[in-house]
Amino acid sequence: MPRKPRRKQRPKSWPVTFSPFARALARMASVSKPNRRSKSIESSEKPTRSSTSNGSSKHTLEERPEGSESSDGEFDGVVQADFAFFDPKPNDFHGVKTLLQTYLDVEEWDLSGFADLILEQTTVGTVVKVEDDEDEGVFALATALNLWRYREQRCIMKLKEFLLLKASQEKGVGDQLRLLLGERAHNVGLLVSQRVVNLPPQLLPHLYDSLFNEVSWATEDEPTEDLRNSFQFKHYIILSKIYKHKNAEQQKRKRSDDREEEIVYVKPEDEIFHELSSWSFCFPLRTQQPAPHELKNYRSMGLIMTVEADKIPTFRQQLTSLINEG
């Protein structure tokens, strides 16, 4: 069955701002940005299924040039660029691999094979790049991989092993995770979303809308029944990173005006996923980067969540509201 033509939507225009705390996170985040100047964004949406109208919106991204400090800690430089959404392709291999470098902490695994899986699945998945850029650096990616379809791939087998090992310390969680990774894996998607730390958050609703729309369309448009069924997700497993307070239990007993946040979410959408999750757990990461002053009482942790697919419409609504309010 031929795929239907995709439509291109016109995203809104917002100013992009970063708080001092967010900038502190950006300075210490483990995901490295592609080797290029950081730019402010004029974003255009990835082609979708029906119309052909073009749309773009300007975003201003401020960044402190590497190695420089301003008196008030603000970023100093502003440059213009166009961000666009694309289907993944083989030329994106190194950019995608860079974004995934710490996906499994410091685990030795077939990262190249994992990047290849993402790039080979072109009907569901998006990479964000600067339009008409010779370097073709990848600034973000989002995809969903069926864990049964790819169960015999070395990278997926290692990833399952990694998740089960981390879950083994959590009472009751290990059995639920084992079910999702085993006999129920036919309907389980691994939701992978990685990006540079200073990607404008206003792009996030478009990025996730693109992903979940493609998942829906794939259940109708894929050429075989097996492929169509492989996108009939009932659950998503999400692996991410947060900052958790070193004295979280003590914080709960403090008065609200004296209390620090128990969890700081590096990705704003993770807070929504976390609230909607059926279950979740944290685990210590083997690598701890030096924390800025704002995070002196926190440590970097891994976060594994499972979210039912029927919660995704709520997620999309809440993410749009969160970004618009911000």
Side-chain angles (χ1 to χ4, degrees), residues 14-18 39-41 58-62 78 80 200:
W14 302 274
V16 174
T17 59
F18 288 85
K39 304 184 177 182
S40 80
I41 290 95
K58 290 185 181 295
H59 300 271
T60 301
L61 171 64
E62 298 179 348
V78 178
Q80 296 287 338

Side-chain angles (χ1 to χ4, degrees), residues 17-31:
T17 59
F18 288 85
S19 68
F21 188 72
R23 285 192 288 273
L25 290 178
R27 286 197 293 271
M28 69 170 298
S30 58
V31 178

Side-chain angles (χ1 to χ4, degrees), residues 27 33 63-71 74-77:
R27 286 197 293 271
K33 186 172 62 175
E63 178 174 82
R64 187 187 72 248
E66 187 175 344
S68 70
E69 288 285 346
S70 59
S71 59
E74 295 294 314
F75 295 132
D76 303 325

